[in-house]
Amino acid sequence: SVHVLSPGYVNARLEKETPIFNKQRIDFAPPEKINSLVVSSNQLCMSLGKDTLLRIDLGKPDEPNQVELGRKDEAKVYKMFLDHTGSHLLIALNTSECLYLNRSVQKVRALSRWKGHLIESVGWNKFLGSETNTGPILVGTSQGQIYEAEISVSEGSLFSTNPDQYFRQVYTLEEESGPAPVCCLEIERGIEGKFFIIATTRKRLFQFVGKVPEGTEQQGFSSIFAVHADHLPSFREFPANLGFSEIAFYTPKLRSSPRSFAWMMGNGVLYGTLDYSRPDSILSDERVWVYPPDIDITVNKPISIVLTQFHFLLLLPDRVKAVCTLNGQVVFQDLFLEKFGLLTRMIKDPTVQQIWIHTEKVVFRYHVQRESRDVWKMYMNMNKFDLAKEYCKDRPECLDIVLAKEAEHCFQNKRYLDSAKCYALTQNYFEEIALKFIEAKQEEALMEFLIKKLNNLKPSEKTQTTLLTTWLTELYLNWLGILQGDPSQRNLYLDTREKFRTFLSSPKNKDCLFNNRASIYELLASHGDTEHMVYFAVIMQDYERVVAHHCQHDEYDEALNVLSRHRDEKLFYKFSPVLIQHIPKKVVDAWISMGSRLDARNLIPALVNYSQSASTQQINEAIRYMEFCVYQLEETQQAIHNYLLSLYALCRPDSLLSYLEQAGTNPNRIHYDLKYALRLCAEHGHHRACVHIYKVMELYEEAVDLALQVDVDLAKSCADLPEDDEELRKKLWLKIARHVVQEEKDVKKAMACLSSCALLKIEDVLPFFPDFVTIDHFKEAICNSLEDYNKHIEELKREMEEATQSAKRIREDIQEMRNKYGSVEPQEKCAACDFPLLNRPFYLFLCGHMFHYDCLLQAVFPNLPAYKQAKLEDLQKKLAATSQPSKSHHRPKDADTISLGKGQQSREQIKADIDDIVAAECVYCGELMIRTIDKPFIDPQKYEEEMQSWL
């Protein structure tokens, strides 16, 4: 089997071994026995012996402050009370007196107005109290009276006046036997200005509720007690009696009001939460923890109680018990050794959540560490799964256990959908959970489980994703099939169908569904669900399948709508042959709307099949699209034009000729196949179209021959086309003339041919006439011809005379050139070397420039073409070969003249050839100078050498 998800927290240690309540003995040896100890805001005050008070700032434990009470009598400290700021300390003496000490001073002051009352409890004002003023506070006495008081320390001279501003009684607490000591007092503020005052006696817990108008809080709480002057306030009473009681509160961080309470009294501990929205009593979710058998209130009764977030701690004479407030179980017990003495008191610093315990000679401190570590387990066992998950959300191994337990709980209570949602979040084996739902025949819950599991998979888990996706598809199809057959389940069917479609179109599942679309199609086909097959194909953009489905069910308009909407060229090519058979006009409209995106060549097969079996009216649709391609899209593909020609030839002969004429007569700009068009037109007998094509092909004889079968005027228009070939034009016109004479036997029309073509003469046409024709019909033509001949003869004579005169003038010019000469002065110099000219053979040009023979040769040779350079070198070699070997420079003239006649002639000829090359033109005035204008004065290859020569 495939494990979609296997457990991920095998052998995980759920908790560390560190205890929640970690005890620490304070390294402190008191010089005298400890009578009382109070702590608040990290300020610790301790009464030692009879007359000593020790104050320690726990932030600076090495700097204790000792204050002497200064009492000479036998008075002892009965109780001490420290406010929430750690600034105001009240010291109750067993002589019914009360002392006051402010944190900022060293001297203790007696509160004179308080004298005569044994103070049992103080309710501090947390809302108006400051370091110098307590604000209105409540004081409880051993006689049951509740007094309202205020203590203030002036900033100028601290004790210039009495610190107690006032001390007035506001109420008396009673039990069934009369007034009872006020064991505890607590003042809390609710919503909308409402105040709650909790006061306890040994057996009763009273609640005073009332509003203090905004802005009058400084006036105290007498108005609240006044409401209950005539009747008792609401209270809770228990029969047993410890001789005292104590109430503890827990205030979470960042909150000013307590959230829960625990009241230690004779029958046990009453604990619960505080709900400030209630009108009369803020106590809520109350429960009583009854003392177990090992706590006997006559022998080892509890001494103190402290409340934390999830536990309350009871102080017994020799041990501490911690009880969980969630389930009432004792989760911790710490036994103290006898050598430390009996435990005296336990208190908690509400600001830093530290617990202090002391005997007469030892002080202990408890640190609360990760108190909520096992809370999730308790909530889980209480089936409070939301709270359990809240307390283990950062611990996945615990969260998995809670989810598994919640899932099992829901399953047992037949809440299968909720069970599936929880199971999907666990690390339990996938197969076990799936089989569980299958055995319970809960397909809907199984689907919910699979969906949640699918959503939790990672992108890399492709195999698991494929498995779940395919399985869910099968389950949805089964469920839809069942619901579809039940009319009463119509709404559920529609809801399930919407869920299935949402599943198919989910972006998260898109890649998986696309990669496995073949399997999904097979499932849809096996269930015969064509509706969802089409829906799925659209999602997958498999429009080919959608169009094919519509075509199979003769839904041709729907198929065309899909094609038009998605504008896929390939699908148009594939399905057009089918669609055009049934909705030709709409198909052509769709093609036209696609414009140039469609290649019309790929649509021709569909049109060919359609046009072969269709009527003329239907063929018009094919012509309409081909005309759109040719005239609107300006298509140049030969196949398109050829097909349009074939349709014209078949159904629209008139449009055929106009199309051919519009295409023009330039073969390079014609897009149809001329030979194919000629054959097509010939097959269908469209002679005028054939004549036009012959003209385009420049087959003028064939054009004239065919035109003569149709219309002589058409033949005449063809005969004039070869403008550059007079012989061919004459031949074509002779064909027309022969046709007119021999076939139509119309002499007048034949004479009209002579006037239409200037190339034809009467003598060209006469052989076509029969012998019996009289001369009268073409007498005028013969006369005109003779006149033309006479004019031509006269023109020839004139041209001959002009030629004779020109020849005469040329001979005169030649003779004049032979006698032309130039004079050279003795001091003339060569234009190239600037040496005297007459020293060596030279050339004189008509422009006046004069060059030595060798200077001219040197200037001309580099600029001659290669073949002339080669010829010049050859002529020079021949000239050197014909030179007479002679050492004498003064050879007689006769000897030079009478030498080898044939050789001398050859030598003169060679010189003439050399002159033709070298002296053809002046090197400074001729074309040679013009051709060398872009050449640099210094050869680039010799530039460096030339530059060095100038340095």
Side-chain angles (χ1 to χ4, degrees):
S1 63
V2 178
H3 289 247
V4 175
L5 279 177
S6 57
Y9 308 113
V10 179
N11 296 326
R13 294 185 62 191
L14 300 184
E15 294 299 338
K16 296 181 180 179
E17 299 299 328
T18 309
I20 295 175
F21 301 101
N22 188 21
K23 182 174 67 175
Q24 175 190 7
R25 180 182 174 182
I26 304 299
D27 185 14
F28 171 70
E32 300 179 77
K33 70 175 184 178
I34 303 172
N35 298 321
S36 182
L37 183 146
V38 288
V39 181
S40 183
S41 294
N42 240 9
Q43 301 296 317
L44 184 146
C45 297
M46 188 186 305
S47 170
L48 300 176
K50 177 185 173 184
D51 200 46
T52 304
L53 195 65
L54 189 66
R55 296 189 295 184
I56 301 174
D57 184 348
L58 295 177
K60 304 172 184 177
D62 297 332
E63 301 176 12
N65 175 250
Q66 186 171 320
V67 178
E68 299 298 328
L69 298 181
R71 303 288 295 189
K72 303 299 182 182
D73 54 12
E74 296 298 322
K76 295 180 181 180
V77 173
Y78 176 62
K79 285 186 180 180
M80 294 197 303
F81 308 94
L82 186 63
D83 80 317
H84 63 286
T85 66
S87 300
H88 306 283
L89 178 66
L90 292 173
I91 307 158
L93 304 179
N94 58 359
T95 56
S96 299
E97 293 178 84
C98 193
L99 306 177
Y100 172 76
L101 179 64
N102 190 278
R103 184 170 66 179
S104 60
V105 299
Q106 287 289 104
K107 186 176 181 181
V108 176
R109 286 298 305 267
L111 302 176
S112 58
R113 293 187 176 93
W114 295 39
K115 190 172 182 179
H117 302 283
L118 183 61
I119 308 301
E120 289 284 350
S121 57
V122 175
W124 296 104
N125 193 325
K126 294 179 286 189
F127 316 104
L128 297 177
S130 65
E131 293 184 359
T132 60
N133 190 294
T134 62
I137 60 175
L138 296 176
V139 180
T141 71
S142 60
Q143 300 301 314
Q145 297 101 353
I146 298 177
Y147 288 87
E148 186 179 76
E150 183 175 359
I151 299 174
S152 179
V153 180
S154 61
E155 297 181 1
S157 54
L158 285 175
F159 291 106
S160 58
T161 59
N162 289 332
D164 49 335
Q165 300 292 314
Y166 63 88
F167 188 77
R168 59 174 174 259
Q169 183 177 351
V170 291
Y171 201 79
T172 301
L173 295 183
E174 295 184 354
E175 293 180 352
E176 70 279 357
S177 60
V182 182
C183 299
C184 296
L185 282 170
E186 182 74 17
I187 305 170
E188 294 298 339
R189 183 167 59 185
I191 57 176
E192 297 177 354
K194 187 181 288 186
F195 278 82
F196 298 87
I197 298 172
I198 296 175
T200 67
T201 62
R202 293 165 296 188
K203 297 164 58 177
R204 290 184 178 180
L205 186 150
F206 295 89
Q207 294 184 75
F208 298 89
V209 182
K211 284 190 176 181
V212 175
E214 186 176 355
T216 64
E217 293 90 346
Q218 195 67 41
Q219 298 177 10
F221 307 105
S222 56
S223 61
I224 298 175
F225 290 101
V227 175
H228 301 284
D230 300 329
H231 62 277
L232 284 176
S234 63
F235 65 88
R236 296 294 310 272
E237 182 175 16
F238 290 87
N241 184 356
L242 288 174
F244 64 92
S245 70
E246 184 172 340
I247 190 166
F249 297 91
Y250 169 71
T251 304
K253 291 180 179 179
L254 307 178
R255 285 188 58 175
S256 60
S257 300
R259 191 178 68 184
S260 55
F261 76 96
W263 179 40
M264 181 186 74
M265 42 72 183
N267 291 85
V269 177
L270 175 71
Y271 63 96
T273 58
L274 299 177
D275 184 356
Y276 296 97
S277 64
R278 299 179 66 178
D280 299 323
S281 173
I282 62 173
L283 307 184
S284 178
D285 298 330
E286 298 175 45
R287 285 164 288 174
V288 176
W289 182 78
V290 180
Y291 295 131
D294 63 339
I295 298 180
D296 186 351
I297 64 172
T298 60
V299 181
N300 61 337
K301 58 185 177 183
I303 302 168
S304 294
I305 187 169
V306 162
L307 182 63
T308 63
Q309 186 177 5
F310 297 106
H311 301 84
F312 61 80
L313 280 72
L314 284 177
L315 180 71
L316 300 171
D318 62 345
R319 70 192 66 193
V320 172
K321 281 181 180 286
V323 180
C324 179
T325 56
L326 298 178
N327 56 14
Q329 298 294 316
V330 177
V331 297
F332 173 77
Q333 185 166 271
D334 193 5
L335 190 64
F336 287 76
L337 300 176
E338 290 184 9
K339 67 177 183 177
F340 298 134
L342 295 177
L343 301 178
T344 307
R345 183 150 174 80
M346 176 174 62
I347 53 174
K348 186 182 75 167
D349 187 341
T351 56
V352 294
Q353 304 297 325
Q354 289 180 351
I355 300 168
W356 296 79
I357 296 175
H358 73 92
T359 66
E360 289 185 347
K361 51 185 176 181
V362 182
V363 178
F364 298 94
R365 179 170 57 188
Y366 279 99
H367 290 278
V368 183
Q369 296 181 331
R370 297 176 59 231
E371 184 183 4
S372 62
R373 67 179 70 172
D374 294 326
V375 169
W376 64 272
K377 195 182 300 181
M378 298 174 191
Y379 278 131
M380 180 183 72
N381 294 330
M382 296 164 62
N383 293 333
K384 294 183 177 180
F385 299 109
D386 290 338
L387 288 172
K389 287 184 282 190
E390 181 68 24
Y391 283 101
C392 62
K393 58 186 178 182
D394 297 328
R395 298 156 69 190
E397 71 280 359
C398 302
L399 182 61
D400 189 63
I401 296 172
V402 175
L403 288 169
K405 182 72 180 292
E406 182 181 10
E408 184 63 29
H409 175 76
C410 293
F411 193 90
Q412 296 297 334
N413 288 279
K414 297 185 178 181
R415 292 162 48 205
Y416 296 111
L417 284 176
D418 293 335
S419 177
K421 292 175 183 177
C422 292
Y423 269 132
L425 299 173
T426 68
Q427 301 296 318
N428 291 23
Y429 282 107
F430 171 81
E431 295 88 337
E432 293 177 3
I433 301 169
L435 286 171
K436 200 167 187 175
F437 287 116
I438 292 172
E439 289 170 359
K441 297 182 180 179
Q442 294 297 321
E443 281 200 1
E444 189 176 1
L446 177 61
M447 288 166 61
E448 184 68 28
F449 169 68
L450 296 178
I451 290 171
K452 295 292 183 184
K453 209 69 175 173
L454 180 63
N455 291 336
N456 292 335
L457 288 178
K458 300 175 183 176
S460 59
E461 297 173 308
K462 294 183 179 179
T463 303
Q464 292 90 331
T465 304
T466 302
L467 171 67
L468 292 181
T469 303
T470 309
W471 194 357
L472 275 168
T473 303
E474 174 71 22
L475 290 174
Y476 268 121
L477 292 172
N478 286 338
W479 189 237
L480 286 171
I482 294 169
L483 295 176
Q484 194 172 18
D486 188 352
S488 64
Q489 300 287 335
R490 178 64 179 170
N491 290 334
L492 181 58
Y493 167 78
L494 294 175
D495 184 54
T496 306
R497 185 182 69 174
E498 187 61 32
K499 288 181 180 178
F500 181 44
R501 292 185 173 184
T502 303
F503 167 74
L504 291 177
S505 58
S506 170
K508 187 174 182 180
N509 303 332
K510 185 175 181 181
D511 290 341
C512 178
L513 290 170
F514 182 80
N515 295 330
N516 299 279
R517 60 189 183 281
S519 302
I520 304 298
Y521 281 132
E522 289 179 7
L523 281 175
L524 292 166
S526 66
H527 285 266
D529 195 340
T530 56
E531 178 186 3
H532 283 108
M533 182 181 288
V534 172
Y535 181 83
F536 180 67
V538 171
I539 292 172
M540 294 292 104
Q541 298 184 351
D542 190 357
Y543 302 117
E544 180 177 349
R545 190 179 293 268
V546 178
V547 177
H549 169 80
H550 288 312
C551 290
Q552 289 170 3
H553 292 79
D554 297 337
E555 299 169 351
Y556 302 110
D557 287 330
E558 286 297 324
L560 185 59
N561 287 339
V562 174
L563 289 177
S564 301
R565 191 161 52 248
H566 300 288
R567 305 174 74 83
D568 189 328
E569 301 87 350
K570 294 180 180 178
L571 294 183
F572 266 103
Y573 300 147
K574 181 170 183 177
F575 291 101
S576 288
V578 177
L579 295 176
I580 200 168
Q581 300 290 337
H582 302 278
I583 47 173
K585 185 177 185 306
K586 292 181 179 179
V587 171
V588 171
D589 289 341
W591 289 352
I592 291 174
S593 69
M594 287 288 286
S596 59
R597 292 184 61 176
L598 290 179
D599 187 345
R601 290 177 301 174
N602 295 328
L603 297 173
I604 288 176
L607 291 170
V608 170
N609 292 335
Y610 169 66
S611 60
Q612 287 177 349
S613 59
S615 63
T616 304
Q617 182 63 30
Q618 291 170 321
I619 291 176
N620 287 336
E621 294 299 330
I623 293 176
R624 180 161 71 96
Y625 181 64
M626 288 292 105
E627 287 179 339
F628 169 77
C629 293
V630 170
Y631 298 123
Q632 301 297 322
L633 301 182
E634 299 181 354
E635 283 284 356
T636 60
Q637 297 292 334
Q638 192 177 77
I640 296 172
H641 287 263
N642 287 348
Y643 183 58
L644 180 58
L645 268 175
S646 68
L647 294 175
Y648 280 152
L650 186 64
C651 295
R652 293 189 186 175
D654 296 339
S655 299
L656 172 65
L657 188 59
S658 63
Y659 165 78
L660 292 174
E661 291 174 348
Q662 188 173 351
T665 57
N666 186 345
N668 296 324
R669 295 184 179 179
I670 288 176
H671 304 302
Y672 57 85
D673 187 337
L674 289 167
K675 295 180 180 179
Y676 171 76
L678 182 62
R679 183 172 67 251
L680 194 67
C681 295
E683 287 176 359
H684 290 84
H686 302 311
H687 296 309
R688 286 184 178 274
C690 290
V691 170
H692 179 83
I693 296 169
Y694 277 134
K695 290 193 294 186
V696 175
M697 298 173 71
E698 298 184 355
L699 299 175
Y700 301 116
E701 291 189 46
E702 290 82 350
V704 171
D705 290 340
L706 186 58
L708 289 173
Q709 299 177 24
V710 179
D711 184 8
V712 173
D713 291 336
L714 180 61
K716 288 180 180 180
S717 66
C718 296
D720 281 332
L721 289 176
E723 297 177 353
D724 299 332
D725 192 343
E726 291 188 354
E727 184 178 350
L728 178 58
R729 282 172 58 204
K730 183 176 181 181
K731 183 177 180 181
L732 297 177
W733 277 101
L734 285 174
K735 282 178 177 286
I736 296 171
R738 177 183 293 173
H739 174 81
V740 171
V741 174
Q742 295 181 354
E743 300 297 331
E744 298 185 6
K745 296 182 173 37
D746 189 338
V747 177
K748 290 184 179 180
K749 193 177 286 188
M751 293 301 102
C753 288
L754 288 177
S755 61
S756 299
C757 180
L759 300 177
L760 286 184
K761 305 298 181 183
I762 187 62
E763 59 267 29
D764 298 326
V765 180
L766 283 176
F768 303 147
F769 289 95
D771 295 338
F772 56 83
V773 177
T774 60
I775 198 171
D776 294 339
H777 293 290
F778 33 80
K779 175 181 177 182
E780 183 179 351
I782 293 172
C783 293
N784 290 337
S785 179
L786 291 174
E787 288 179 2
D788 289 340
Y789 278 122
N790 286 333
K791 290 179 181 178
H792 185 58
I793 291 169
E794 291 297 327
E795 186 176 346
L796 289 175
K797 286 181 179 179
R798 187 170 59 255
E799 289 177 355
M800 289 174 65
E801 290 177 358
E802 289 177 356
T804 303
Q805 292 298 324
S806 295
K808 181 178 179 182
R809 284 196 297 272
I810 289 170
R811 283 196 296 271
E812 291 174 353
D813 289 342
I814 291 172
Q815 186 63 37
E816 184 180 350
M817 286 297 294
R818 284 177 178 172
N819 297 327
K820 196 166 186 178
Y821 63 93
S823 60
V824 178
E825 298 295 330
Q827 66 273 17
E828 292 290 347
K829 296 182 179 180
C830 173
C833 65
D834 205 33
F835 281 95
L837 184 68
L838 299 178
N839 290 349
R840 301 197 300 273
F842 63 90
Y843 288 99
L844 171 64
F845 292 95
L846 293 177
C847 62
H849 286 114
M850 294 168 278
F851 300 91
H852 291 128
Y853 166 75
D854 54 342
C855 293
L856 183 62
L857 181 64
Q858 186 178 2
V860 170
F861 186 81
N863 299 297
L864 290 175
Y867 75 93
K868 283 194 175 182
Q869 289 180 351
K871 184 177 180 181
L872 183 59
E873 288 177 349
D874 185 53
L875 290 173
Q876 286 177 326
K877 290 178 182 177
K878 289 181 179 180
L879 182 62
T882 57
S883 298
Q884 296 295 326
S886 174
K887 295 182 181 179
S888 171
H889 295 283
H890 305 283
R891 190 188 310 176
K893 185 178 178 181
D894 293 340
D896 190 31
T897 334
I898 308 172
S899 54
L900 301 169
K902 188 174 181 181
Q904 186 66 26
Q905 290 175 357
S906 178
R907 180 181 174 84
E908 292 298 327
Q909 183 61 44
I910 290 170
K911 284 184 175 182
D913 292 341
I914 290 174
D915 289 345
D916 289 342
I917 295 173
V918 175
E921 61 182 356
C922 175
V923 72
Y924 285 173
C925 303
E927 291 183 8
L928 182 62
M929 182 58 67
I930 297 172
R931 286 199 303 270
T932 60
I933 193 169
D934 60 341
K935 288 186 178 181
F937 291 112
I938 301 173
D939 189 347
Q941 296 178 352
K942 299 179 180 180
Y943 180 79
E944 290 294 332
E945 180 182 349
E946 185 70 21
M947 188 174 66
Q948 292 297 327
S949 68
W950 281 68
L951 295 177

